[in-house]
Amino acid sequence: MERKLILEDGTVLTGQGFGSSEGKVLEIVFNTSMVGYQEILSDPSYTDQAVVMTYPLIGNYGMAEADYETRIPTIGALIVREYNDMPSNYRSSQNLRSVMEQYGICGIEGVDTRRLTRHIRDHGSGKVLLTDAATPIEEGLQRLRRTELPHTAVSRVSRIDVEEIPGKGPHIVLIDCGAKENIVRSLVRRGARVTIVPWKMPSDRILARRPDGVLISNGPGDPIDVPETIQTVKELIGKAPLFGICLGHQILSLAYGASTYKLKFGHRGGNHPVKDLRTGRIEITSQNHSYAVDAESLRRTPLQITHINLLDQTVEGVSCEKDRAFSVQYHPESAPGPEDSGYLFDRFLERL
């Protein structure tokens, strides 16, 4: 199947299609990870996004049942240089194409992903139309101009019902804004009892469950699109230890009165160096976000900056010792990826 990518500035790239054939308008971003396409495909944080994979060969180790970050992937599309439809991996149960067809995810291969990544770096992330190669360019541009990207991603990926996972250790309430399963696995491995609640559960219902601590998860989109969660976290401050990851980091910062802004092309990959300002230690981290906390805005809050990104000096972590609250912009639960930051789960549980 011949397919076409049309960007907002009129740039056009063509290739062969795989996965779903449905045409879509999405936000285009890139990820520099060398492995982990299954985790990327199934990460709820990529909802409504077309992800350019900078590593050239995708699909070669198939899809393993144990490696999903959510059971129903909501990513918009994958854009790759070369797709491999014959995986070699004893753990694989399906190939990537069949999974993408099952969940309505578009794919295009044969694209010059180096050129496309440079375009995103130069011009920033924006809208892209994945469509049939026969679609006239002007028609595609008109569709891009009249289509607004939705602001409802969190509500579409969060659990609707409460889920209880037994454990003999401390009780953690996880606010699900699009939580990756490896966050849950990381807590359970440490013996925690985990209660996963929907993104807009009020604070009084969370406190009624008598949690030892509350974790605010990762998730898709702009943090200001979830004012209900921000209000909930604001009301939880000082009443329970708090830990935020990625979107949860932004939500916690907003709850304290800071502000956020959109990065030019975001951070997505498994090799971002982050410095812990308290110890001087540098961690190699996995990241996936479009927005960042404004460092200047933190001056009017009791939050202290604890971590910074060494590539662009953006805020990567904050903390308020008095309230036993802290958060990081990166992913300590990354899998596959660097394991430098797993200690953050231990630190959270120690604070309880």
Short mmCIF file of all heavy atoms in Angstrom, two decimals, residues 1 17 22 38 53 58 64 79 83 125 143 163 177 184 200 206-207 214 259 265 267 289 293 297 308 349:
data_model
loop_
_atom_site.label_atom_id
_atom_site.label_comp_id
_atom_site.label_asym_id
_atom_site.label_seq_id
_atom_site.Cartn_x
_atom_site.Cartn_y
_atom_site.Cartn_z
N MET A 1 0.84 -1.20 0.00
CA MET A 1 0.00 0.00 0.00
C MET A 1 0.87 1.24 0.00
O MET A 1 1.69 1.43 0.88
CB MET A 1 -0.91 0.02 1.24
CG MET A 1 -1.92 -1.11 1.30
SD MET A 1 -2.85 -1.08 2.85
CE MET A 1 -1.60 -1.63 4.02
N GLY A 17 2.69 1.23 3.23
CA GLY A 17 1.90 1.14 4.43
C GLY A 17 1.95 -0.24 5.08
O GLY A 17 2.17 -1.24 4.42
N GLU A 22 -6.34 3.32 7.92
CA GLU A 22 -7.15 4.51 8.19
C GLU A 22 -6.29 5.77 8.16
O GLU A 22 -5.24 5.85 8.80
CB GLU A 22 -7.83 4.37 9.56
CG GLU A 22 -8.69 5.56 9.94
CD GLU A 22 -9.22 5.45 11.36
OE1 GLU A 22 -8.97 4.41 12.01
OE2 GLU A 22 -9.86 6.40 11.83
N GLN A 38 7.86 -2.13 21.18
CA GLN A 38 6.60 -2.64 21.73
C GLN A 38 6.14 -1.77 22.90
O GLN A 38 4.96 -1.43 23.01
CB GLN A 38 6.74 -4.09 22.19
CG GLN A 38 5.46 -4.60 22.84
CD GLN A 38 5.47 -6.09 23.12
OE1 GLN A 38 6.34 -6.82 22.66
NE2 GLN A 38 4.50 -6.56 23.88
N MET A 53 10.48 6.55 14.42
CA MET A 53 11.52 5.78 15.09
C MET A 53 12.84 6.04 14.38
O MET A 53 12.99 5.75 13.19
CB MET A 53 11.18 4.29 15.05
CG MET A 53 9.87 3.93 15.73
SD MET A 53 9.82 4.32 17.49
CE MET A 53 11.10 3.22 18.11
N ILE A 58 12.66 -1.90 12.51
CA ILE A 58 11.60 -2.05 13.50
C ILE A 58 10.76 -3.29 13.17
O ILE A 58 10.41 -3.51 12.01
CB ILE A 58 10.68 -0.81 13.53
CG1 ILE A 58 11.50 0.45 13.87
CG2 ILE A 58 9.53 -1.00 14.50
CD1 ILE A 58 12.14 0.44 15.24
N ALA A 64 5.89 -9.52 22.38
CA ALA A 64 5.82 -10.51 23.47
C ALA A 64 4.69 -10.15 24.44
O ALA A 64 4.53 -8.98 24.80
CB ALA A 64 7.15 -10.56 24.22
N ILE A 79 6.17 5.52 12.23
CA ILE A 79 6.84 5.89 10.97
C ILE A 79 8.26 5.33 11.06
O ILE A 79 9.02 5.71 11.95
CB ILE A 79 6.86 7.42 10.78
CG1 ILE A 79 5.43 7.96 10.79
CG2 ILE A 79 7.59 7.79 9.50
CD1 ILE A 79 5.36 9.48 10.91
N TYR A 83 10.56 -1.89 7.97
CA TYR A 83 9.73 -2.76 8.80
C TYR A 83 10.06 -4.21 8.49
O TYR A 83 10.13 -4.62 7.33
CB TYR A 83 8.24 -2.50 8.54
CG TYR A 83 7.36 -3.54 9.19
CD1 TYR A 83 7.28 -3.65 10.57
CD2 TYR A 83 6.63 -4.44 8.41
CE1 TYR A 83 6.50 -4.62 11.17
CE2 TYR A 83 5.84 -5.42 9.00
CZ TYR A 83 5.78 -5.51 10.38
OH TYR A 83 5.01 -6.47 10.97
N SER A 125 7.65 19.94 16.65
CA SER A 125 6.58 18.98 16.40
C SER A 125 5.32 19.73 16.00
O SER A 125 5.08 20.86 16.43
CB SER A 125 6.32 18.12 17.64
OG SER A 125 5.99 18.92 18.75
N ARG A 143 -7.22 19.63 5.18
CA ARG A 143 -7.64 18.77 6.30
C ARG A 143 -6.81 19.06 7.54
O ARG A 143 -7.33 19.09 8.66
CB ARG A 143 -7.51 17.30 5.90
CG ARG A 143 -8.02 16.34 6.96
CD ARG A 143 -8.04 14.92 6.47
NE ARG A 143 -8.35 14.00 7.56
CZ ARG A 143 -8.35 12.68 7.44
NH1 ARG A 143 -8.07 12.11 6.27
NH2 ARG A 143 -8.63 11.92 8.48
N GLU A 163 -9.00 -0.61 40.59
CA GLU A 163 -8.38 -1.93 40.52
C GLU A 163 -7.49 -2.12 41.75
O GLU A 163 -6.67 -1.26 42.08
CB GLU A 163 -7.55 -2.07 39.24
CG GLU A 163 -6.89 -3.43 39.09
CD GLU A 163 -6.10 -3.56 37.80
OE1 GLU A 163 -6.23 -2.70 36.92
OE2 GLU A 163 -5.33 -4.54 37.67
N CYS A 177 -3.43 8.35 35.09
CA CYS A 177 -3.61 9.33 34.01
C CYS A 177 -3.18 8.74 32.67
O CYS A 177 -3.05 9.46 31.67
CB CYS A 177 -2.80 10.59 34.30
SG CYS A 177 -3.29 11.45 35.80
N VAL A 184 3.27 -0.09 37.91
CA VAL A 184 2.60 -1.03 38.81
C VAL A 184 3.54 -2.17 39.16
O VAL A 184 3.68 -2.54 40.34
CB VAL A 184 1.31 -1.56 38.16
CG1 VAL A 184 0.61 -2.54 39.10
CG2 VAL A 184 0.38 -0.41 37.78
N LYS A 200 -9.80 11.24 37.63
CA LYS A 200 -10.49 12.36 38.27
C LYS A 200 -11.22 11.95 39.55
O LYS A 200 -12.19 12.59 39.95
CB LYS A 200 -11.46 13.03 37.30
CG LYS A 200 -12.57 12.16 36.73
CD LYS A 200 -13.46 13.02 35.84
CE LYS A 200 -14.62 12.20 35.28
NZ LYS A 200 -15.50 13.06 34.45
N ILE A 206 -10.05 9.31 47.71
CA ILE A 206 -8.71 8.72 47.79
C ILE A 206 -8.28 8.58 49.25
O ILE A 206 -7.82 7.51 49.68
CB ILE A 206 -7.69 9.57 47.00
CG1 ILE A 206 -7.97 9.46 45.49
CG2 ILE A 206 -6.26 9.14 47.31
CD1 ILE A 206 -7.10 10.35 44.64
N LEU A 207 -8.47 9.63 50.03
CA LEU A 207 -8.08 9.59 51.44
C LEU A 207 -8.91 8.58 52.23
O LEU A 207 -8.42 8.01 53.22
CB LEU A 207 -8.19 10.98 52.05
CG LEU A 207 -7.19 12.01 51.52
CD1 LEU A 207 -7.53 13.41 52.03
CD2 LEU A 207 -5.77 11.63 51.90
N VAL A 214 0.59 8.36 47.75
CA VAL A 214 -0.14 8.52 46.49
C VAL A 214 0.86 8.78 45.38
O VAL A 214 1.74 9.64 45.51
CB VAL A 214 -1.16 9.67 46.56
CG1 VAL A 214 -1.87 9.85 45.21
CG2 VAL A 214 -2.19 9.41 47.66
N SER A 259 4.03 26.73 36.66
CA SER A 259 3.44 26.70 35.32
C SER A 259 4.26 25.78 34.42
O SER A 259 5.40 25.44 34.73
CB SER A 259 3.35 28.11 34.72
OG SER A 259 4.64 28.70 34.64
N PHE A 265 10.36 20.22 20.47
CA PHE A 265 10.13 18.89 19.92
C PHE A 265 10.13 17.79 21.00
O PHE A 265 10.12 16.62 20.69
CB PHE A 265 11.14 18.53 18.82
CG PHE A 265 12.57 18.82 19.18
CD1 PHE A 265 13.29 17.95 19.97
CD2 PHE A 265 13.18 19.98 18.73
CE1 PHE A 265 14.61 18.21 20.30
CE2 PHE A 265 14.50 20.25 19.06
CZ PHE A 265 15.22 19.37 19.85
N HIS A 267 11.13 15.51 24.54
CA HIS A 267 12.19 14.55 24.88
C HIS A 267 11.61 13.15 24.76
O HIS A 267 10.67 12.80 25.48
CB HIS A 267 12.68 14.73 26.33
CG HIS A 267 13.31 16.05 26.59
ND1 HIS A 267 13.48 16.54 27.88
CD2 HIS A 267 13.82 16.99 25.78
CE1 HIS A 267 14.08 17.73 27.82
NE2 HIS A 267 14.29 18.01 26.56
N HIS A 289 8.03 13.08 26.81
CA HIS A 289 7.12 14.17 27.17
C HIS A 289 7.28 15.34 26.21
O HIS A 289 8.34 15.56 25.63
CB HIS A 289 7.38 14.64 28.61
CG HIS A 289 8.79 15.12 28.86
ND1 HIS A 289 9.12 16.45 28.90
CD2 HIS A 289 9.94 14.45 29.08
CE1 HIS A 289 10.42 16.57 29.15
NE2 HIS A 289 10.94 15.37 29.26
N VAL A 293 8.18 21.81 33.12
CA VAL A 293 7.86 22.77 34.18
C VAL A 293 8.76 23.98 34.03
O VAL A 293 9.98 23.85 33.85
CB VAL A 293 8.05 22.12 35.57
CG1 VAL A 293 7.85 23.15 36.68
CG2 VAL A 293 7.08 20.96 35.73
N SER A 297 8.95 29.79 37.30
CA SER A 297 7.68 29.78 38.03
C SER A 297 7.79 29.04 39.36
O SER A 297 6.97 29.24 40.26
CB SER A 297 6.59 29.12 37.17
OG SER A 297 6.78 27.72 37.07
N ILE A 308 18.11 18.29 36.86
CA ILE A 308 18.04 19.05 35.62
C ILE A 308 18.54 18.17 34.46
O ILE A 308 19.35 17.27 34.65
CB ILE A 308 18.88 20.35 35.67
CG1 ILE A 308 20.36 20.04 35.94
CG2 ILE A 308 18.31 21.33 36.68
CD1 ILE A 308 21.27 21.23 35.69
N LEU A 349 8.95 4.72 48.90
CA LEU A 349 8.46 3.79 49.91
C LEU A 349 9.10 4.07 51.27
O LEU A 349 8.47 3.89 52.32
CB LEU A 349 8.70 2.36 49.48
CG LEU A 349 7.91 1.91 48.22
CD1 LEU A 349 8.26 0.48 47.85
CD2 LEU A 349 6.43 2.07 48.42
#
